[in-house]
Amino acid sequence: MFIQTLDILGTIAFAISGVLVAMSKRMDAFGVFIIAFVTAVGGGTLRDVLIGTTPVFWMKDMTFMAVIAISAFVAVVFRNELKHLRKSLFLFDTIGIGLYTVIGIEKGLNAELHPTICITLGTISACFGGVIRDILCNEIPVIFRKEIYATACIVGGLVYFLLREFTGDINSIFLIAGGVVIMVRLLAVIFKIRLPSLYKKKQKSKG
Amino acid sequence: MFIQTLDILGTIAFAISGVLVAMSKRMDAFGVFIIAFVTAVGGGTLRDVLIGTTPVFWMKDMTFMAVIAISAFVAVVFRNELKHLRKSLFLFDTIGIGLYTVIGIEKGLNAELHPTICITLGTISACFGGVIRDILCNEIPVIFRKEIYATACIVGGLVYFLLREFTGDINSIFLIAGGVVIMVRLLAVIFKIRLPSLYKKKQKSKG
Amino acid sequence: MFIQTLDILGTIAFAISGVLVAMSKRMDAFGVFIIAFVTAVGGGTLRDVLIGTTPVFWMKDMTFMAVIAISAFVAVVFRNELKHLRKSLFLFDTIGIGLYTVIGIEKGLNAELHPTICITLGTISACFGGVIRDILCNEIPVIFRKEIYATACIVGGLVYFLLREFTGDINSIFLIAGGVVIMVRLLAVIFKIRLPSLYKKKQKSKG
């Protein structure tokens, strides 16, 4: 019940982030809804297709479609106010990737897959919606350009399997691992931590 | 039989529209065929993958591959003449989305999915081929930028389920709902109807 | 055993080619790994999803993940040396498409699909990883712009089914058909053979 509530919060956050990107591209109402939808369910859909759990999740539970439609509608109506809410949105988005990571891992465990694959599935669930959103908007996916994002999912996934060695209490594992994802992401953004660059810096040598 | 003929007409229309876009990007012969193929079967393929009806439809019925190959070949040979046929092509393309919408809805019903999901599947079948075509050609998908397109599919889908309340005659429902998709699209283009804009106009304020 | 070794060689080659493209886009370490991964397994993944053999292959055999992680790591560390190895890489990549083509065909045969579909699956397995790589890097896929590439896969596929008429020795067929793919590609590159252009040349008429 608690988890389901969080799942819906994550869906809302992702849908709203989709609306914001789509509107910055001046898409029409339909385009905005599609991008919201794809951002919210894209990761979980790819996960389900790769495992073979079809029809995919949002086809079997109408809650997702309804939540996304309402979120997109509200986001469009209050688009000017949303600009002042960027920080809360960032929080929602971060909660979203935390939850989706753990949900993805559990789906992988149900399909009896190797822990590495489960963590991959969690990361796909959390990040792929944003990747499709960026592809459809014709940009290099943000996930490949920006600070700690998928890395947070992977760290949370490792914690998940570490905890499983010590306890069988699924709910605690769920909350702690999801919390780790959220914390890693928050700390990375607050302290502007990035992955170490693979490239030599050129820009500053000019001065 | 009648429906199958229309299905093939739709496939031909989509394949030709793929050829025209690919050639405007100066792709080689193989690229042109691939884009034609993907435009024609992309929507139905995604639909089948999401529902889990695999191997996907064009793997089980060789008609599609043959029809697309011949259409692409003819379209390449007569490419100069095709420019004068834009209007007939537009008609074919519109017939195509009408048919694909209804076929998608029926696949959804066979999988016992919720009406909303069925309409979504119909819209995906009709529109996604064009989306993949545009992504492969590195453009923002036309569906997100242009006039009534997917909206026509959704309206047709609503009519489909409305009719089902009154009659059990599948063939009539098929024809009427498909016809509505086609008519909405035609009227929208003829009268230049667009979705209401979400954005304030800036351009004209200059004068 | 022999085939498995070759399969891993192909995976390594594709992973390295992914690293090189991702680094030319100045992606971070995570982005580089993802692109390497997607380039190496993308084609086979799409093949498995379209046929319905899920969970897809790399979820059931951890070798692939390990091989790709190590390849990507080594490629990043020795990135400067790799520039001098472009020719060996090209060879690996070509061996890769040869192998993936035949493996794809055999998966299609196992699913009892029509020869044309099997050849299509082989070509998808061999080429689609590169297509996704290019889409994620926001470029028109190289396969649509460059010389003989997928065409080599198709020729090899035709040889595969021709040989099946004369012999039942799967290993010989595998090696010869794969070899044909490799040879066609090598010859095409060495002699700069391209598909006949569909377009009139404009550039040289100026002089």
Side-chain angles (χ1 to χ4, degrees):
Chain A
M1 191 61 211
F2 173 60
I3 286 168
Q4 222 170 7
T5 315
L6 290 178
D7 191 4
I8 286 169
L9 273 184
T11 306
I12 293 174
F14 279 138
I16 294 176
S17 95
V19 167
L20 292 178
V21 175
M23 293 192 69
S24 77
K25 293 273 171 179
R26 300 186 73 81
M27 290 188 178
D28 68 19
F30 179 77
V32 168
F33 174 72
I34 291 291
I35 299 291
F37 185 74
V38 158
T39 310
V41 307
T45 302
L46 180 60
R47 176 199 63 213
D48 285 358
V49 165
L50 292 179
I51 309 182
T53 340
T54 48
V56 298
F57 72 101
W58 51 268
M59 292 191 173
K60 288 179 288 195
D61 179 352
M62 294 307 297
T63 320
F64 293 98
M65 208 111 186
V67 164
I68 295 167
I70 295 169
S71 308
F73 182 77
V74 171
V76 167
V77 171
F78 293 103
R79 56 188 176 276
N80 294 316
E81 285 69 25
L82 275 176
K83 283 171 195 162
H84 310 297
L85 287 174
R86 292 242 163 205
K87 275 191 190 160
S88 342
L89 280 179
F90 167 75
L91 260 177
F92 272 123
D93 180 68
T94 301
I95 293 169
I97 66 165
L99 292 162
Y100 279 38
T101 302
V102 192
I103 293 170
I105 289 173
E106 293 188 344
K107 293 239 178 180
L109 284 172
N110 287 341
E112 301 186 358
L113 298 168
H114 186 281
T116 315
I117 301 298
C118 294
I119 296 177
T120 308
L121 281 173
T123 310
I124 289 175
S125 308
C127 302
F128 199 76
V131 171
I132 311 186
R133 177 195 64 209
D134 291 341
I135 292 176
L136 289 179
C137 294
N138 203 11
E139 305 205 333
I140 289 192
V142 70
I143 187 183
F144 299 139
R145 288 177 289 128
K146 263 235 218 116
E147 76 278 353
I148 309 300
Y149 191 95
T151 312
C153 306
I154 295 168
V155 172
L158 293 173
V159 168
Y160 187 100
F161 284 98
L162 198 71
L163 289 173
R164 270 185 108 221
E165 299 296 312
F166 298 105
T167 170
D169 178 6
I170 297 292
N171 282 333
S172 309
I173 299 180
F174 191 103
L175 284 177
I176 298 174
V180 166
V181 175
I182 293 171
M183 220 143 69
V184 171
R185 172 109 173 96
L186 286 182
L187 292 175
V189 169
I190 292 169
F191 295 105
K192 297 190 180 162
I193 301 166
R194 285 162 177 266
L195 290 180
S197 175
L198 302 172
Y199 314 96
K200 286 176 194 162
K201 283 167 200 164
K202 286 180 191 170
Q203 298 92 328
K204 290 190 176 174
S205 62
K206 272 194 173 178
Chain B
M1 190 61 211
F2 173 60
I3 286 169
Q4 222 170 7
T5 315
L6 290 178
D7 192 4
I8 287 170
L9 273 184
T11 306
I12 294 174
F14 279 137
I16 294 175
S17 96
V19 167
L20 291 178
V21 175
M23 292 192 69
S24 77
K25 293 273 171 180
R26 300 186 71 82
M27 290 185 178
D28 68 19
F30 180 76
V32 168
F33 173 72
I34 291 291
I35 300 291
F37 185 73
V38 159
T39 310
V41 307
T45 302
L46 180 61
R47 176 198 64 213
D48 286 358
V49 165
L50 293 178
I51 308 182
T53 341
T54 47
V56 299
F57 72 101
W58 51 267
M59 293 190 172
K60 288 178 288 195
D61 179 351
M62 294 307 297
T63 320
F64 293 98
M65 207 110 184
V67 164
I68 295 167
I70 295 169
S71 307
F73 182 76
V74 172
V76 167
V77 171
F78 294 103
R79 57 191 176 274
N80 293 318
E81 285 69 24
L82 275 176
K83 284 171 195 161
H84 310 296
L85 286 174
R86 292 240 164 206
K87 274 192 190 158
S88 342
L89 280 179
F90 167 75
L91 259 177
F92 272 123
D93 180 67
T94 302
I95 293 169
I97 67 167
L99 292 162
Y100 278 38
T101 303
V102 193
I103 293 171
I105 290 173
E106 293 188 343
K107 294 238 178 179
L109 284 172
N110 287 342
E112 301 186 358
L113 298 168
H114 187 279
T116 315
I117 301 299
C118 294
I119 296 177
T120 308
L121 281 172
T123 310
I124 288 174
S125 308
C127 303
F128 199 77
V131 171
I132 310 186
R133 178 195 64 210
D134 291 341
I135 292 175
L136 290 178
C137 294
N138 204 12
E139 305 206 334
I140 291 192
V142 70
I143 187 183
F144 300 138
R145 290 177 289 128
K146 263 234 218 121
E147 76 279 349
I148 309 300
Y149 191 95
T151 312
C153 305
I154 295 168
V155 173
L158 293 173
V159 168
Y160 187 101
F161 284 98
L162 198 72
L163 289 172
R164 271 185 106 220
E165 299 296 312
F166 299 105
T167 171
D169 177 5
I170 297 293
N171 282 333
S172 308
I173 299 180
F174 191 104
L175 284 177
I176 297 175
V180 166
V181 176
I182 294 171
M183 219 142 69
V184 170
R185 172 110 173 95
L186 286 182
L187 291 175
V189 169
I190 292 169
F191 295 105
K192 297 191 179 160
I193 301 166
R194 285 161 177 267
L195 290 180
S197 176
L198 302 172
Y199 314 95
K200 286 175 196 162
K201 283 166 198 165
K202 286 180 190 169
Q203 298 91 328
K204 290 192 177 173
S205 63
K206 271 192 173 178
Chain C
M1 191 58 211
F2 174 60
I3 285 169
Q4 223 171 4
T5 315
L6 289 179
D7 192 3
I8 286 169
L9 272 185
T11 306
I12 294 174
F14 278 137
I16 294 176
S17 96
V19 168
L20 292 177
V21 175
M23 292 193 69
S24 77
K25 293 274 171 178
R26 299 187 71 82
M27 290 188 179
D28 68 19
F30 180 76
V32 168
F33 174 72
I34 291 290
I35 300 290
F37 185 73
V38 159
T39 310
V41 307
T45 302
L46 181 61
R47 176 199 64 213
D48 285 359
V49 165
L50 293 179
I51 308 183
T53 341
T54 47
V56 298
F57 72 102
W58 51 268
M59 293 192 173
K60 288 178 288 195
D61 179 352
M62 294 307 298
T63 320
F64 293 98
M65 208 111 185
V67 164
I68 294 167
I70 295 169
S71 307
F73 182 78
V74 171
V76 167
V77 171
F78 293 103
R79 55 189 177 275
N80 293 318
E81 285 69 24
L82 274 176
K83 284 170 195 162
H84 310 296
L85 286 173
R86 292 240 164 207
K87 275 193 190 158
S88 343
L89 280 178
F90 166 75
L91 259 177
F92 272 123
D93 180 68
T94 302
I95 292 170
I97 66 168
L99 292 162
Y100 279 37
T101 303
V102 192
I103 293 170
I105 289 173
E106 293 187 344
K107 293 237 178 181
L109 284 172
N110 287 342
E112 300 185 0
L113 298 168
H114 187 281
T116 315
I117 301 298
C118 294
I119 296 178
T120 308
L121 281 172
T123 309
I124 288 175
S125 308
C127 302
F128 199 76
V131 171
I132 310 186
R133 178 195 62 209
D134 291 342
I135 292 176
L136 289 178
C137 294
N138 203 12
E139 305 206 333
I140 289 192
V142 69
I143 186 184
F144 300 139
R145 289 177 289 127
K146 263 234 218 118
E147 76 277 351
I148 308 301
Y149 190 93
T151 312
C153 305
I154 295 168
V155 172
L158 293 173
V159 168
Y160 187 101
F161 284 98
L162 198 71
L163 288 173
R164 271 183 107 222
E165 299 296 313
F166 299 105
T167 170
D169 178 6
I170 297 291
N171 282 333
S172 309
I173 299 180
F174 191 104
L175 284 177
I176 298 175
V180 167
V181 176
I182 294 171
M183 220 143 68
V184 171
R185 172 108 173 96
L186 286 182
L187 291 175
V189 169
I190 292 169
F191 294 106
K192 297 190 181 162
I193 301 167
R194 286 162 178 268
L195 291 181
S197 176
L198 302 172
Y199 314 94
K200 286 176 194 162
K201 283 168 199 164
K202 287 179 190 169
Q203 299 91 327
K204 290 193 176 172
S205 63
K206 271 193 172 179

